[in-house]
Amino acid sequence: MNVHADLVLKARVRLLSHNERVLHGEEGLWVYRTLFAVTPHVYAYKLALVLREAAEGPRVARLSGAREALLAEARAAAARIPAGAPHYQARMWEYSVADLRLTEQQVGRRER
């Protein structure tokens, strides 16, 4: 994927101005998607994490197609986590799947 250099610079500046480890929400999705396109091995974990959070969120609770698309993108990003990554990053997808199953059960109970 070819990403415009100005967008990459803007994403890096936004990330540097953020005071926490992970930038969450819509802004985090944009930043990590942009930076993942340039250096996937560096941003794979954070992109997968933010995508998983978006899939669990209330905005897609009733949109199964949107949830599936976010999860598919998260799986693809998680597959790019390098082999030498810390243990918690390498096992991120296992924990994500368990969390998502729990979330789906909770959403199913609310709909009844």
Side-chain angles (χ1 to χ4, degrees):
M1 174 186 263
N2 195 4
V3 180
H4 196 278
D6 288 346
L7 290 176
V8 172
L9 180 61
K10 184 177 178 180
R12 286 184 175 148
V13 167
R14 177 58 190 110
L15 196 57
L16 287 171
S17 67
H18 187 65
N19 291 331
E20 300 195 22
R21 284 184 65 169
V22 178
L23 184 61
H24 299 277
E26 298 280 328
E27 194 171 29
L29 281 172
W30 174 80
V31 167
Y32 294 127
R33 279 176 172 155
T34 302
L35 296 175
F36 178 79
V38 178
T39 49
H41 63 283
V42 175
Y43 294 100
Y45 170 73
K46 289 185 180 181
L47 176 60
L49 179 69
V50 173
L51 285 164
R52 187 201 73 186
E53 289 174 352
E56 293 174 352
R59 296 183 84 187
V60 297
R62 299 192 192 281
L63 304 171
S64 62
R67 172 177 277 162
E68 296 295 324
L70 289 169
L71 291 176
E73 189 178 353
R75 275 188 212 100
R80 300 293 299 267
I81 295 173
H87 187 65
Y88 71 92
Q89 288 185 8
R91 297 200 58 201
M92 191 277 300
W93 190 247
E94 295 172 30
Y95 300 129
S96 299
V97 170
D99 290 344
L100 286 170
R101 286 188 185 133
L102 179 62
T103 301
E104 287 175 356
Q105 290 172 352
Q106 291 171 346
V107 169
R109 287 186 200 131
R110 283 188 226 141
E111 291 177 353
R112 292 181 190 168

